[in-house]
Amino acid sequence: MIRRNVGKRLVLVSAAFVLSAAAALTVWAKTRLDTVSDLYWNSENDNKATEAIWEEVEDAYQYKVRLYLNESSSPKAEITTKKTSYNFRRNMVTEGEYTFKVQAMPKKSSREYTDSYWSEASEGYYVSESRAENNKSNKVVDTSTAGPGVPGGNAADGADKGDAQWGRNGNAADKGGAQWVRDGAKWQYRNADGSRSVNTWQWIDGKCYYFDSDGYMLADTVTPDGFSVNEYGAWVIDGVVQTQQKDGVSDLYDNDTNRAALAAYWHDLKNNSDYEWYYDSQNGGTQDMDPHFMVLDVNADGVYEVFVYGGGPSLAPYWLLYYDNGVKKKEWREMPEIGTLENGQFYVSGGDNGHFWGERYELKENVLNMLERLEYNLNNAGYEAVQQNIKQYTDRMVRYQFVYLSDENLNRYLSGNGESTGAR
């Protein structure tokens, strides 16, 4: 009798323990964010027809977006953004039907939420061969008869000095659909497909121009990525206008050092044991990795650098690959963000769990130097001043987009004279 009572007590205690443990698990389980819905292409604006748009998810901090071509299971491109739209124009350079999927993500430090499931694919958007070619090369027709690229253009009788500087009477040249368009004292360039260049350089009639976030050409200044443009908007080095070669290759990156650097990056990314996660993801391995990279020129010297992220685990490293008769690397493990500043400098910032930091760098004569490091903790008094000092750099820096680390993208961006993955 006594033994039976003891047995009952043990059963009751064990059951209570199990229920207590289950309750504890329930308390600490994270809530999955809602799945993103209402995905569509921007059909209301033909100039932005390659813009992916989706519905905002409550409590989401940012979104991961993947672009697919012709129902492929491997993404053609992937980006992360805090907005609810993204223009994939630069990635839609092959004829075919494109779709995209979106995943909502909370802050890394969130104890309440975890990533949503991936959304269903959007409806398809077909890109024709001609539009794909335009997306890829931004080729335009000759506009030498008008626009800001014509210093010395003759103004009409009675025109003011500004008109004489900005071309022939300030009129737009319309040649086969591509044209300069004047807006007061400013200029935009409308491409043959109706789009306008934004936050990027564009070769027009053999000269290179930079267009800001509103699509206006910059003039008589230093561009966000550290290059000089003259009063007519043309890219200059020491006052000399840089022209495009007949084969369409940019003068700046058409040099042996840049080609050697790109070849070294390509070989390193394909063969170095640091990137075992790359081979694993490419060959159907089991690691939850999601590698991607960006190509940028951190010091505006005509030699590209590569910023690489392995994806997956939160401690997966980030690397900046730069060149000095071989590949050199700078590694971070705190989920940094990188962007270029003026004067050939660049900035890296990051942090989590209440601790944040920012580092300003200069890559000069193949030597990487940290010029300044700032950091703060939200638990420390007076952190606001340091926070603002970091913000002055992050507000100014030009950020670049990641692309998926695939053989196709490695060959595209790291072959020949290379190609930047583009500012965002």
Side-chain angles (χ1 to χ4, degrees):
M1 187 67 176
I2 294 176
R3 289 179 181 175
R4 283 199 298 271
N5 287 338
V6 170
K8 290 180 180 179
R9 291 192 189 100
L10 289 174
V11 170
L12 290 172
V13 170
S14 299
F17 178 81
V18 171
L19 290 172
S20 177
L25 287 174
T26 301
V27 170
W28 289 106
K30 290 187 177 182
T31 301
R32 189 177 293 276
L33 291 173
D34 291 341
T35 303
V36 179
S37 60
D38 198 16
L39 285 69
Y40 60 95
W41 297 100
N42 190 350
S43 59
E44 296 181 2
N45 186 340
D46 188 62
N47 293 342
K48 293 184 177 180
T50 53
E51 182 182 35
I53 304 174
W54 57 92
E55 186 177 45
E56 183 179 5
V57 171
E58 186 177 1
D59 298 311
Y61 178 67
Q62 59 187 0
Y63 302 87
K64 184 180 291 184
V65 190
R66 289 176 175 173
L67 179 71
Y68 296 85
L69 173 61
N70 294 333
E71 299 182 349
S72 171
S73 60
S74 298
K76 186 174 180 62
E78 178 187 285
I79 63 96
T80 300
T81 179
K82 295 179 182 177
K83 299 180 180 180
T84 55
S85 65
Y86 185 83
N87 197 327
F88 278 106
R89 182 172 183 265
R90 285 182 57 89
N91 303 104
M92 300 169 76
V93 296
T94 303
E95 179 187 6
E97 187 173 70
Y98 289 82
T99 59
F100 67 95
K101 297 180 181 180
V102 184
Q103 182 184 48
M105 298 186 295
K107 287 187 176 181
K108 289 288 184 181
S109 56
S110 175
R111 295 186 177 182
E112 185 176 359
Y113 298 102
T114 188
D115 296 349
S116 74
Y117 292 111
W118 279 97
S119 70
E120 296 292 328
S122 68
E123 291 187 358
Y125 174 71
Y126 178 73
V127 174
S128 66
E129 183 178 359
S130 59
R131 183 149 194 168
E133 183 63 24
N134 202 292
N135 290 348
K136 181 178 181 180
S137 63
N138 285 325
K139 290 181 179 178
V140 294
V141 298
D142 179 21
T143 58
S144 60
T145 58
V150 190
N154 297 320
D157 293 340
D160 60 22
K161 183 178 179 181
D163 285 333
Q165 286 181 318
W166 292 114
R168 297 178 182 173
N169 204 22
N171 294 325
D174 193 344
K175 300 278 185 120
Q179 62 177 317
W180 284 104
V181 179
R182 185 168 186 169
D183 182 6
K186 297 181 179 181
W187 285 88
Q188 294 182 317
Y189 191 78
R190 190 185 74 189
N191 297 303
D193 66 351
S195 65
R196 285 178 170 84
S197 298
V198 175
N199 284 332
T200 191
W201 289 90
Q202 183 169 342
W203 286 101
I204 303 171
D205 189 32
K207 302 180 182 69
C208 204
Y209 303 88
Y210 188 89
F211 297 89
D212 65 15
S213 58
D214 295 316
Y216 290 109
M217 183 200 74
L218 299 187
D220 196 22
T221 188
V222 175
T223 63
D225 50 357
F227 296 94
S228 296
V229 290
N230 66 13
E231 58 188 309
Y232 309 109
W235 167 39
V236 295
I237 295 179
D238 295 330
V240 178
V241 175
Q242 303 301 298
T243 57
Q244 191 177 32
Q245 298 177 358
K246 292 182 180 180
D247 61 3
V249 177
S250 165
D251 289 345
L252 182 62
Y253 298 101
D254 182 18
N255 62 79
D256 291 339
T257 302
N258 182 53
R259 284 187 286 270
L262 293 168
Y265 301 148
W266 187 95
H267 184 271
D268 190 69
L269 288 169
K270 292 284 287 184
N271 297 285
N272 195 308
S273 60
D274 285 344
Y275 312 111
E276 290 178 349
W277 42 263
Y278 165 70
Y279 297 109
D280 186 88
S281 63
Q282 291 286 296
N283 296 319
T286 58
Q287 292 184 23
D288 182 19
M289 307 306 288
D290 195 17
H292 41 281
F293 72 104
M294 66 172 69
V295 179
L296 68 167
D297 186 354
V298 298
N299 56 350
D301 67 345
V303 178
Y304 281 124
E305 287 76 41
V306 177
F307 192 57
V308 189
Y309 171 48
S314 60
L315 292 180
Y318 289 71
W319 288 281
L320 176 69
L321 277 55
Y322 61 100
Y323 186 74
D324 182 15
N325 293 319
V327 176
K328 306 292 183 182
K329 297 180 185 180
K330 168 64 179 176
E331 181 178 327
W332 294 269
R333 285 185 175 268
E334 297 181 78
M335 302 191 69
E337 186 174 40
I338 189 170
T340 54
L341 299 172
E342 62 279 1
N343 302 321
Q345 298 177 6
F346 67 97
Y347 205 73
V348 182
S349 63
D352 205 351
N353 297 320
H355 177 258
F356 301 91
W357 54 272
E359 297 172 347
R360 182 162 56 94
Y361 286 90
E362 180 180 63
L363 180 59
K364 191 172 184 179
E365 296 180 354
N366 303 325
V367 177
L368 184 63
N369 293 310
M370 184 193 296
L371 304 178
E372 179 184 43
R373 177 179 169 88
L374 300 170
E375 58 184 316
Y376 64 93
N377 194 305
L378 294 177
N379 295 324
N380 294 341
Y383 74 86
E384 294 90 350
V386 181
Q387 184 183 55
Q388 286 302 312
N389 283 335
I390 293 177
K391 189 174 184 296
Q392 70 166 317
Y393 293 114
T394 57
D395 284 349
R396 283 159 39 203
M397 71 186 194
V398 178
R399 296 166 173 84
Y400 292 78
Q401 70 174 8
F402 279 110
V403 296
Y404 193 70
L405 186 47
S406 64
D407 289 337
E408 178 184 0
N409 283 334
L410 285 175
N411 291 334
R412 172 183 172 181
Y413 292 100
L414 300 182
S415 295
N417 294 327
E419 179 184 349
S420 170
T421 50
R424 58 179 174 87

